[in-house]
Amino acid sequence: MKTIDTTQVTPAESIQYLQNAVAPRPIALVSTCDKEGKVNLSPFSFFNVFSSNPPILVFSPSRRVRDTTTKHTLENIEQVRECVINTVSYDIVHQSSLSSTEYDKGVNEFHKAGFTEVPSLKVKPPRVKESKASFECKVKDLIYLGDGGGAGTLVVCEVLMIHVDESVLNERGQIDTKLIDLVGRMGESYYTHSNGDSLFEIPKPLVTKGIGVDALPEAIRLSKIFTGNELAMLGNVEAVFGTEFKDDELAHQHAKDLLKEGDVEGAWEILKIN
């Protein structure tokens, strides 16, 4: 048995043990806005439900280990103490991952990840239309756990409104675990979900900055063949491969098949003309 004294290792070393051992973790896809109304969207796997009466969800954006800076999500919540926590199902996991890219402040990750904004009923931030369940929340408390790299802030959220896609409800009107097909975060680049092969990998857009769904060529972005998840895979590259692209369903279907195998580069090769 290997034993680690947490006072004798770096935050980066600690998080490797914590995130790999404490898993799978549910994912909160959190939408916020600043006092000027600019929207931000980002996923957090330090997240769970902590009370049903009152209904309380808690998530924690951590300071960046490299320079101790805070996330835009936390900065927004300090200005506007509201948020929407959206669930992440398997069919939007690539889009959710793409939204974690560290875009500049003011960039709307809804657009980058190809998500659709839906106005909330009781809070200012919008909810994610593609999410199977969304929780409009007011922030009751912020609990700062430290000021060093990796330190979290507990965002204690009281749920005001719950929105659930009827496609995931059973005959009793309750959420069916298999139908909602939620994704859990594992360590490193791994995820798991509640159906089929439970372990899969997604390149995390942290070192590189994906161009985003909104920057895809129109022939690809408006294709009737690709799902939002597949567009997010194509958008998780640093630059567009080529200058002209095919606009026919046969080529798009071929590229789609390659994306199902995780071959993003091969899909781009099929799609480009030159």
Side-chain angles (χ1 to χ4, degrees):
M1 176 68 71
K2 183 176 183 178
T3 302
I4 297 98
D5 183 339
T6 58
T7 65
Q8 302 301 312
V9 295
T10 67
E13 291 172 317
S14 288
I15 202 168
Q16 198 279 336
Y17 292 111
L18 292 168
Q19 290 186 340
N20 279 274
V22 184
R25 301 181 304 280
I27 303 171
L29 183 58
V30 182
S31 52
T32 59
C33 61
D34 63 16
K35 60 184 178 181
E36 296 176 350
K38 294 179 180 177
V39 173
N40 180 268
L41 183 70
S42 187
F44 298 91
S45 67
F46 290 0
F47 161 64
N48 221 308
V49 56
F50 282 80
S51 171
S52 57
N53 186 26
I56 299 293
L57 302 175
V58 178
F59 73 96
S60 178
S62 299
R63 287 179 176 269
R64 298 178 181 90
V65 173
R66 65 177 181 273
D67 58 9
T68 76
T69 55
T70 56
K71 305 288 180 66
H72 296 149
T73 296
L74 179 59
E75 295 167 5
N76 286 354
I77 284 175
E78 290 173 332
Q79 296 178 24
V80 178
R81 293 172 76 95
E82 297 176 343
C83 67
V84 179
I85 295 177
N86 306 274
T87 59
V88 177
S89 298
Y90 184 67
D91 62 348
I92 63 169
V93 65
H94 285 278
Q95 290 171 269
S96 175
S97 177
L98 182 57
S99 74
S100 71
T101 302
E102 293 185 358
Y103 295 112
D104 294 337
K105 188 172 180 61
V107 172
N108 188 331
E109 288 84 1
F110 273 86
H111 300 163
K112 285 294 182 185
F115 283 126
T116 307
E117 294 183 33
V118 177
S120 296
L121 299 180
K122 291 190 176 182
V123 299
K124 294 182 180 65
R127 59 188 176 91
V128 176
K129 179 181 180 180
E130 292 79 6
S131 180
K132 298 298 188 294
S134 299
F135 305 89
E136 296 184 26
C137 303
K138 67 176 180 180
V139 176
K140 290 177 62 70
D141 201 5
L142 294 173
I143 303 173
Y144 299 90
L145 303 178
D147 55 12
T153 298
L154 300 185
V155 182
V156 183
C157 305
E158 181 174 353
V159 178
L160 304 179
M161 299 290 293
I162 302 174
H163 306 274
V164 182
D165 190 319
E166 292 186 4
S167 69
V168 303
L169 300 179
N170 59 25
E171 64 277 3
R172 299 186 301 278
Q174 301 171 332
I175 293 176
D176 185 307
T177 297
K178 292 182 179 179
L179 292 177
I180 197 169
D181 199 10
L182 293 175
V183 171
R185 192 72 171 86
M186 307 295 287
E188 300 171 341
S189 296
Y190 289 101
Y191 293 70
T192 184
H193 71 120
S194 58
N195 282 320
D197 296 329
S198 62
L199 199 62
F200 56 97
E201 188 173 7
I202 300 174
K204 188 138 183 75
L206 288 180
V207 178
T208 60
K209 186 176 291 188
I211 61 171
V213 171
D214 60 338
L216 291 174
E218 187 174 283
I220 296 172
R221 180 168 51 83
L222 301 182
S223 171
K224 296 179 180 180
I225 302 298
F226 299 118
T227 66
N229 224 19
E230 289 157 353
L231 290 176
M233 294 174 72
L234 293 169
N236 191 21
V237 295
E238 291 188 86
V240 174
F241 296 95
T243 56
E244 295 184 50
F245 302 88
K246 298 173 185 175
D247 193 17
D248 65 275
E249 292 187 358
L250 186 62
H252 288 194
Q253 185 61 55
H254 189 179
K256 182 184 182 79
D257 293 340
L258 290 173
L259 290 173
K260 288 179 180 179
E261 299 172 4
D263 186 0
V264 176
E265 185 175 346
W268 271 110
E269 286 296 321
I270 292 297
L271 292 169
K272 73 179 183 179
I273 296 174
N274 57 45

